[in-house]
Amino acid sequence: NAGVMQNPRHLVRRRGQEARLRCSPMKGHSHVYWYRQLPEEGLKFMVYLQKENIIDESGMPKERFSAEFPKEGPSILRIQQVVRGDSAAYFCASSQTGNTEAFFGQGTRLTVV
Amino acid sequence: GENVEQHPSTLSVQEGDSAVIKCTYSDSASNYFPWYKQELGKGPQLIIDIRSNVGEKKDQRIAVTLNKTAKHFSLHITETQPEDSAVYFCAEAGGSSNTGKLIFGQGTTLQVKP
C-alpha cells in the first residue's frame, strides 16, 4: 500500500515560469491538503480539496496559485509566474475522511532562480 | 484566530533522558491534536495523536497529554535514543472551520546526544 506520492521531489524554475506539483493520495483516500514550508519554519495550510471540489482555500495566495483534484489522476498545485519568494517545500497530505489522520508525502522542493 | 504556540524551539538531551515538548492553542473548538516527526529532507510523519475526549494516550516510549481547560497539550518521549533526533511539530484541527486542515506549531528541533 503505497503512501502519498509527490512528484517531482525537486523542481527548479526560473522567475516567471510555471511550476506544477503533483500529488497522488494514499489508496482509499479522497481528501487532499496542500501545505507550504519555508526554510526553518513550520507548515502552513494552503488548500483542502476533495475529488473535483475545492473545500477550503483560505491559505492560498490570491494570485498566481491554483489547485485542482480531478475525478481521475493526481491533485495538482500550480504556481504561475514564479518569484523567488515561492521557493519552499510543498507538502501534500491525504486522509480517508476530513476528520481522520492525515499522512504526508515526501514533498516537492521548489527552487526559483 | 487560529494559532498554535510550541516550546521550546530547540531541545538537547542526553541519550536515555526524557524530552517534553509543549503546545498551546487558541481555538476552543479544536478537537484533534496530532504530533509529527520530520527528519531532514523528508515529509512529516505522524507519530501519535489524541482527540479531545481523552486526556492522555501512550504508545511505547511516546505519550501525549491534553488539558482542554488550559488549551495545552504535550509530547513526552522517554528513554530517548539518537534516532529520535528530528524536528517535532504539534498541530490542531477540528476548530471553527472544521475542515480537517491542520494548524501547526513552529516546531521543536530535538537533539539526542549519545
Side-chain angles (χ1 to χ4, degrees):
Chain A
N1 182 17
V4 178
M5 303 301 292
Q6 288 189 249
N7 67 81
R9 291 292 307 276
H10 300 275
L11 182 61
V12 179
R13 284 287 177 267
R14 296 187 183 278
R15 280 178 293 172
Q17 291 185 319
E18 178 180 286
R20 281 189 175 230
L21 290 62
R22 297 175 193 79
C23 169
S24 295
M26 286 179 68
K27 186 176 181 181
H29 287 193
S30 60
H31 297 247
V32 166
Y33 303 81
W34 285 92
Y35 293 84
R36 178 164 62 178
Q37 185 175 36
L38 294 170
E40 308 297 323
E41 292 189 12
L43 295 97
K44 304 293 185 187
F45 168 79
M46 299 181 75
V47 62
Y48 164 38
L49 311 102
Q50 294 180 33
K51 285 286 187 180
E52 299 184 278
N53 286 304
I54 297 175
I55 307 301
D56 182 348
E57 56 182 349
S58 58
M60 287 280 269
K62 294 289 185 274
E63 298 177 348
R64 303 187 297 108
F65 285 71
S66 63
E68 63 177 8
F69 190 14
K71 187 176 181 181
E72 301 290 338
S75 175
I76 306 287
L77 179 67
R78 182 183 178 201
I79 311 172
Q80 295 178 291
Q81 300 173 346
V82 296
V83 300
R84 288 243 171 93
D86 296 332
S87 296
Y90 292 83
F91 290 96
C92 167
S94 74
S95 67
Q96 196 169 29
T97 72
N99 195 31
T100 52
E101 298 87 344
F103 297 93
F104 282 78
Q106 296 298 313
T108 293
R109 282 149 186 83
L110 172 66
T111 302
V112 180
V113 297
Chain B
E2 302 162 328
N3 188 43
V4 177
E5 294 290 330
Q6 183 172 346
H7 298 280
S9 57
T10 60
L11 180 59
S12 182
V13 300
Q14 287 295 136
E15 182 177 359
D17 288 350
S18 294
V20 180
I21 303 169
K22 299 181 179 181
C23 288
T24 59
Y25 61 98
S26 57
D27 192 339
S28 57
S30 299
N31 58 19
Y32 177 61
F33 306 91
W35 285 87
Y36 287 85
K37 174 184 181 182
Q38 187 177 28
E39 297 176 324
L40 193 63
K42 297 187 177 181
Q45 175 191 3
L46 179 66
I47 57 172
I48 195 167
D49 57 11
I50 191 168
R51 295 195 180 270
S52 58
N53 56 346
V54 298
E56 185 174 356
K57 184 177 179 181
K58 190 174 181 180
D59 182 5
Q60 299 182 352
R61 296 186 297 109
I62 296 173
V64 57
T65 59
L66 171 64
N67 183 328
K68 283 218 76 177
T69 303
K71 290 192 229 172
H72 62 69
F73 56 113
S74 300
L75 177 71
H76 304 252
I77 306 174
T78 58
E79 301 173 27
T80 53
Q81 301 167 2
E83 50 265 39
D84 293 330
S85 297
V87 181
Y88 290 81
F89 291 98
C90 63
E92 59 93 356
S96 304
S97 65
N98 200 26
T99 60
K101 75 180 187 185
L102 295 169
I103 306 300
F104 282 88
Q106 298 88 341
T108 296
T109 300
L110 173 64
Q111 182 186 27
V112 180
K113 298 178 182 177

PDB file of all heavy atoms in Angstrom, chain B residues 33-50:
ATOM      1  N   PHE B  33      -5.542  16.543  17.945  1.00  0.00           N
ATOM      2  CA  PHE B  33      -4.208  17.083  18.210  1.00  0.00           C
ATOM      3  C   PHE B  33      -3.147  16.042  17.852  1.00  0.00           C
ATOM      4  O   PHE B  33      -2.789  15.189  18.663  1.00  0.00           O
ATOM      5  CB  PHE B  33      -4.095  17.476  19.688  1.00  0.00           C
ATOM      6  CG  PHE B  33      -5.195  18.414  20.123  1.00  0.00           C
ATOM      7  CD1 PHE B  33      -6.380  17.913  20.648  1.00  0.00           C
ATOM      8  CD2 PHE B  33      -5.048  19.777  19.988  1.00  0.00           C
ATOM      9  CE1 PHE B  33      -7.412  18.765  21.034  1.00  0.00           C
ATOM     10  CE2 PHE B  33      -6.069  20.646  20.374  1.00  0.00           C
ATOM     11  CZ  PHE B  33      -7.247  20.133  20.891  1.00  0.00           C
ATOM     12  N   PRO B  34      -2.612  16.096  16.644  1.00  0.00           N
ATOM     13  CA  PRO B  34      -1.569  15.145  16.241  1.00  0.00           C
ATOM     14  C   PRO B  34      -0.168  15.720  16.456  1.00  0.00           C
ATOM     15  O   PRO B  34       0.024  16.935  16.555  1.00  0.00           O
ATOM     16  CB  PRO B  34      -1.844  14.982  14.734  1.00  0.00           C
ATOM     17  CG  PRO B  34      -2.361  16.322  14.321  1.00  0.00           C
ATOM     18  CD  PRO B  34      -3.115  16.881  15.513  1.00  0.00           C
ATOM     19  N   TRP B  35       0.789  14.804  16.526  1.00  0.00           N
ATOM     20  CA  TRP B  35       2.201  15.175  16.587  1.00  0.00           C
ATOM     21  C   TRP B  35       2.915  14.520  15.407  1.00  0.00           C
ATOM     22  O   TRP B  35       2.694  13.340  15.113  1.00  0.00           O
ATOM     23  CB  TRP B  35       2.834  14.702  17.896  1.00  0.00           C
ATOM     24  CG  TRP B  35       2.440  15.520  19.077  1.00  0.00           C
ATOM     25  CD1 TRP B  35       1.344  15.350  19.870  1.00  0.00           C
ATOM     26  CD2 TRP B  35       3.139  16.649  19.612  1.00  0.00           C
ATOM     27  NE1 TRP B  35       1.310  16.295  20.866  1.00  0.00           N
ATOM     28  CE2 TRP B  35       2.403  17.105  20.733  1.00  0.00           C
ATOM     29  CE3 TRP B  35       4.314  17.321  19.259  1.00  0.00           C
ATOM     30  CZ2 TRP B  35       2.812  18.201  21.503  1.00  0.00           C
ATOM     31  CZ3 TRP B  35       4.715  18.402  20.022  1.00  0.00           C
ATOM     32  CH2 TRP B  35       3.966  18.836  21.131  1.00  0.00           C
ATOM     33  N   TYR B  36       3.789  15.318  14.767  1.00  0.00           N
ATOM     34  CA  TYR B  36       4.533  14.827  13.625  1.00  0.00           C
ATOM     35  C   TYR B  36       6.032  14.945  13.882  1.00  0.00           C
ATOM     36  O   TYR B  36       6.497  15.888  14.519  1.00  0.00           O
ATOM     37  CB  TYR B  36       4.184  15.623  12.362  1.00  0.00           C
ATOM     38  CG  TYR B  36       2.811  15.322  11.792  1.00  0.00           C
ATOM     39  CD1 TYR B  36       1.676  15.980  12.268  1.00  0.00           C
ATOM     40  CD2 TYR B  36       2.652  14.375  10.785  1.00  0.00           C
ATOM     41  CE1 TYR B  36       0.425  15.699  11.755  1.00  0.00           C
ATOM     42  CE2 TYR B  36       1.398  14.094  10.264  1.00  0.00           C
ATOM     43  CZ  TYR B  36       0.291  14.752  10.759  1.00  0.00           C
ATOM     44  OH  TYR B  36      -0.950  14.465  10.240  1.00  0.00           O
ATOM     45  N   LYS B  37       6.751  13.982  13.326  1.00  0.00           N
ATOM     46  CA  LYS B  37       8.216  13.986  13.377  1.00  0.00           C
ATOM     47  C   LYS B  37       8.720  14.193  11.958  1.00  0.00           C
ATOM     48  O   LYS B  37       8.277  13.505  11.030  1.00  0.00           O
ATOM     49  CB  LYS B  37       8.710  12.641  13.925  1.00  0.00           C
ATOM     50  CG  LYS B  37      10.220  12.449  13.905  1.00  0.00           C
ATOM     51  CD  LYS B  37      10.564  11.030  14.377  1.00  0.00           C
ATOM     52  CE  LYS B  37      12.075  10.801  14.386  1.00  0.00           C
ATOM     53  NZ  LYS B  37      12.418   9.411  14.786  1.00  0.00           N
ATOM     54  N   GLN B  38       9.627  15.140  11.780  1.00  0.00           N
ATOM     55  CA  GLN B  38      10.159  15.401  10.448  1.00  0.00           C
ATOM     56  C   GLN B  38      11.668  15.293  10.464  1.00  0.00           C
ATOM     57  O   GLN B  38      12.349  16.063  11.144  1.00  0.00           O
ATOM     58  CB  GLN B  38       9.736  16.783   9.935  1.00  0.00           C
ATOM     59  CG  GLN B  38      10.137  17.029   8.490  1.00  0.00           C
ATOM     60  CD  GLN B  38       9.656  18.367   7.959  1.00  0.00           C
ATOM     61  OE1 GLN B  38       9.478  19.329   8.693  1.00  0.00           O
ATOM     62  NE2 GLN B  38       9.435  18.431   6.651  1.00  0.00           N
ATOM     63  N   GLU B  39      12.180  14.350   9.706  1.00  0.00           N
ATOM     64  CA  GLU B  39      13.618  14.207   9.549  1.00  0.00           C
ATOM     65  C   GLU B  39      14.069  15.023   8.342  1.00  0.00           C
ATOM     66  O   GLU B  39      13.268  15.351   7.463  1.00  0.00           O
ATOM     67  CB  GLU B  39      13.976  12.724   9.406  1.00  0.00           C
ATOM     68  CG  GLU B  39      13.622  11.933  10.660  1.00  0.00           C
ATOM     69  CD  GLU B  39      13.866  10.449  10.515  1.00  0.00           C
ATOM     70  OE1 GLU B  39      13.643   9.924   9.410  1.00  0.00           O
ATOM     71  OE2 GLU B  39      14.267   9.812  11.499  1.00  0.00           O
ATOM     72  N   LEU B  40      15.340  15.319   8.314  1.00  0.00           N
ATOM     73  CA  LEU B  40      15.888  16.215   7.297  1.00  0.00           C
ATOM     74  C   LEU B  40      15.583  15.702   5.890  1.00  0.00           C
ATOM     75  O   LEU B  40      15.855  14.544   5.565  1.00  0.00           O
ATOM     76  CB  LEU B  40      17.394  16.348   7.498  1.00  0.00           C
ATOM     77  CG  LEU B  40      18.069  17.482   6.734  1.00  0.00           C
ATOM     78  CD1 LEU B  40      17.538  18.833   7.183  1.00  0.00           C
ATOM     79  CD2 LEU B  40      19.579  17.423   6.914  1.00  0.00           C
ATOM     80  N   GLY B  41      14.985  16.563   5.090  1.00  0.00           N
ATOM     81  CA  GLY B  41      14.714  16.212   3.702  1.00  0.00           C
ATOM     82  C   GLY B  41      13.512  15.307   3.492  1.00  0.00           C
ATOM     83  O   GLY B  41      13.267  14.854   2.375  1.00  0.00           O
ATOM     84  N   LYS B  42      12.750  15.063   4.555  1.00  0.00           N
ATOM     85  CA  LYS B  42      11.597  14.166   4.441  1.00  0.00           C
ATOM     86  C   LYS B  42      10.301  14.880   4.811  1.00  0.00           C
ATOM     87  O   LYS B  42      10.307  15.994   5.316  1.00  0.00           O
ATOM     88  CB  LYS B  42      11.798  12.941   5.326  1.00  0.00           C
ATOM     89  CG  LYS B  42      12.988  12.072   4.926  1.00  0.00           C
ATOM     90  CD  LYS B  42      13.028  10.794   5.732  1.00  0.00           C
ATOM     91  CE  LYS B  42      14.178   9.901   5.275  1.00  0.00           C
ATOM     92  NZ  LYS B  42      14.214   8.625   6.050  1.00  0.00           N
ATOM     93  N   GLY B  43       9.205  14.197   4.562  1.00  0.00           N
ATOM     94  CA  GLY B  43       7.918  14.741   4.932  1.00  0.00           C
ATOM     95  C   GLY B  43       7.592  14.444   6.389  1.00  0.00           C
ATOM     96  O   GLY B  43       8.195  13.575   7.003  1.00  0.00           O
ATOM     97  N   PRO B  44       6.649  15.174   6.968  1.00  0.00           N
ATOM     98  CA  PRO B  44       6.253  14.917   8.352  1.00  0.00           C
ATOM     99  C   PRO B  44       5.638  13.521   8.493  1.00  0.00           C
ATOM    100  O   PRO B  44       4.848  13.098   7.657  1.00  0.00           O
ATOM    101  CB  PRO B  44       5.205  16.002   8.618  1.00  0.00           C
ATOM    102  CG  PRO B  44       5.446  17.038   7.587  1.00  0.00           C
ATOM    103  CD  PRO B  44       5.939  16.307   6.384  1.00  0.00           C
ATOM    104  N   GLN B  45       5.989  12.861   9.583  1.00  0.00           N
ATOM    105  CA  GLN B  45       5.490  11.516   9.859  1.00  0.00           C
ATOM    106  C   GLN B  45       4.643  11.567  11.122  1.00  0.00           C
ATOM    107  O   GLN B  45       5.118  11.996  12.181  1.00  0.00           O
ATOM    108  CB  GLN B  45       6.668  10.555  10.038  1.00  0.00           C
ATOM    109  CG  GLN B  45       6.269   9.147  10.437  1.00  0.00           C
ATOM    110  CD  GLN B  45       7.460   8.308  10.870  1.00  0.00           C
ATOM    111  OE1 GLN B  45       8.578   8.795  10.917  1.00  0.00           O
ATOM    112  NE2 GLN B  45       7.225   7.053  11.184  1.00  0.00           N
ATOM    113  N   LEU B  46       3.410  11.118  11.021  1.00  0.00           N
ATOM    114  CA  LEU B  46       2.526  11.084  12.183  1.00  0.00           C
ATOM    115  C   LEU B  46       3.039  10.062  13.199  1.00  0.00           C
ATOM    116  O   LEU B  46       3.250   8.901  12.867  1.00  0.00           O
ATOM    117  CB  LEU B  46       1.112  10.707  11.743  1.00  0.00           C
ATOM    118  CG  LEU B  46       0.049  10.597  12.827  1.00  0.00           C
ATOM    119  CD1 LEU B  46      -0.230  11.949  13.464  1.00  0.00           C
ATOM    120  CD2 LEU B  46      -1.247  10.000  12.266  1.00  0.00           C
ATOM    121  N   ILE B  47       3.270  10.502  14.445  1.00  0.00           N
ATOM    122  CA  ILE B  47       3.794   9.587  15.452  1.00  0.00           C
ATOM    123  C   ILE B  47       2.773   9.272  16.545  1.00  0.00           C
ATOM    124  O   ILE B  47       2.793   8.186  17.117  1.00  0.00           O
ATOM    125  CB  ILE B  47       5.098  10.116  16.084  1.00  0.00           C
ATOM    126  CG1 ILE B  47       4.899  11.512  16.701  1.00  0.00           C
ATOM    127  CG2 ILE B  47       6.220  10.122  15.067  1.00  0.00           C
ATOM    128  CD1 ILE B  47       6.099  11.999  17.506  1.00  0.00           C
ATOM    129  N   ILE B  48       1.898  10.191  16.829  1.00  0.00           N
ATOM    130  CA  ILE B  48       0.857   9.955  17.825  1.00  0.00           C
ATOM    131  C   ILE B  48      -0.166  11.085  17.721  1.00  0.00           C
ATOM    132  O   ILE B  48       0.161  12.180  17.263  1.00  0.00           O
ATOM    133  CB  ILE B  48       1.438   9.866  19.254  1.00  0.00           C
ATOM    134  CG1 ILE B  48       0.426   9.258  20.237  1.00  0.00           C
ATOM    135  CG2 ILE B  48       1.917  11.227  19.746  1.00  0.00           C
ATOM    136  CD1 ILE B  48       1.031   8.864  21.584  1.00  0.00           C
ATOM    137  N   ASP B  49      -1.384  10.792  18.104  1.00  0.00           N
ATOM    138  CA  ASP B  49      -2.413  11.827  18.100  1.00  0.00           C
ATOM    139  C   ASP B  49      -3.376  11.593  19.250  1.00  0.00           C
ATOM    140  O   ASP B  49      -3.402  10.514  19.848  1.00  0.00           O
ATOM    141  CB  ASP B  49      -3.167  11.887  16.764  1.00  0.00           C
ATOM    142  CG  ASP B  49      -3.821  10.556  16.389  1.00  0.00           C
ATOM    143  OD1 ASP B  49      -3.885   9.635  17.237  1.00  0.00           O
ATOM    144  OD2 ASP B  49      -4.251  10.422  15.225  1.00  0.00           O
ATOM    145  N   ILE B  50      -4.140  12.611  19.567  1.00  0.00           N
ATOM    146  CA  ILE B  50      -5.105  12.497  20.653  1.00  0.00           C
ATOM    147  C   ILE B  50      -6.334  13.322  20.301  1.00  0.00           C
ATOM    148  O   ILE B  50      -6.229  14.371  19.657  1.00  0.00           O
ATOM    149  CB  ILE B  50      -4.479  12.957  21.992  1.00  0.00           C
ATOM    150  CG1 ILE B  50      -5.383  12.579  23.170  1.00  0.00           C
ATOM    151  CG2 ILE B  50      -4.180  14.456  21.986  1.00  0.00           C
ATOM    152  CD1 ILE B  50      -4.697  12.746  24.520  1.00  0.00           C
TER     153      ILE B  50
END
